[in-house]
Amino acid sequence: MPSTRRTRTGLVVVVVAALGLGAAAQQPPPPVPRPFPGAAPRTPAVPPAEQPPAETTLAGAPVYPTAEFLESFDAGQNQRYYLYGSNTSYETIVTYYRSVLRNNGREIFREPAMHQFELGRFDDNRMAFPPSVVVKDYAGGGPAGYLFVDGTTEKRFLTIIQIVPAAGDRLDPVSR
């Protein structure tokens, strides 16, 4: 009899377990949240395009007339740098800045060509970068131009202009 009792107990346990699983399997699924009828579907918010900086933000640094503002970056120490793209030749833009800034600047690299024009005194206690305009040639060498992607729009530029104004206040021009 002891083995019959064990068999019955085991059978009862199996039946109770099967009933419990069957009951759990028959429960309706949890409700799925659905929008109200007529509600517009949610789409992720696209951040607005960054606006070009005001002339006062650039502290008097000139922007090449046909250059297109691309974006700005935090340089640290309360300073930003601003990128502009142009399809005007590198040589023409360097000539423009030589004329407008009334200094020859300095060639940083020959290939790819890069030229820097200082705009003010560098104070490493309050600046991450020296105030300057840097012009870089993207026309030669590899792919045709600097690739800039704005959302889903791709644009290429032959020349990139980087403007780094002084941190915080108006520029203290370097004696020319």
Side-chain angles (χ1 to χ4, degrees):
M1 284 224 189
S3 73
T4 311
R5 187 178 265 172
R6 280 190 211 151
T7 306
R8 284 185 194 160
T9 306
L11 186 60
V12 170
V13 170
V14 170
V15 170
V16 169
L19 288 174
L21 289 175
Q26 292 177 358
Q27 290 180 353
V32 177
R34 300 188 190 274
F36 291 110
R42 288 187 176 201
T43 56
V46 176
E50 188 177 2
Q51 296 299 310
E55 192 173 315
T56 55
T57 302
L58 295 177
V63 176
Y64 187 77
T66 61
E68 182 178 330
F69 175 70
L70 303 180
E71 58 191 323
S72 70
F73 297 93
D74 182 4
Q77 296 193 4
N78 197 31
Q79 199 176 22
R80 293 191 75 75
Y81 60 93
Y82 301 89
L83 287 186
Y84 292 83
S86 177
N87 282 317
T88 303
S89 74
Y90 166 82
E91 294 81 10
T92 301
I93 293 177
V94 168
T95 301
Y96 167 81
Y97 279 107
R98 281 183 177 145
S99 172
V100 170
L101 297 174
R102 296 190 199 129
N103 81 44
N104 286 328
R106 67 185 179 105
E107 182 179 64
I108 298 174
F109 297 110
R110 287 189 185 173
E111 196 61 41
M114 188 182 291
H115 207 93
Q116 179 180 30
F117 299 91
E118 292 183 11
L119 296 175
R121 293 191 189 346
F122 177 63
D123 179 358
D124 63 350
N125 292 320
R126 61 184 196 96
M127 295 177 188
F129 289 95
S132 61
V133 172
V134 176
V135 180
K136 184 170 181 185
D137 184 12
Y138 278 88
Y146 174 88
L147 176 62
F148 176 71
V149 179
D150 184 16
T152 58
T153 306
E154 293 182 0
K155 297 178 184 177
R156 290 199 179 267
F157 296 96
L158 299 177
T159 308
I160 294 296
I161 304 161
Q162 173 186 290
I163 298 177
V164 182
D169 55 13
R170 302 277 308 163
L171 295 176
D172 176 23
V174 173
S175 55
R176 294 180 170 86

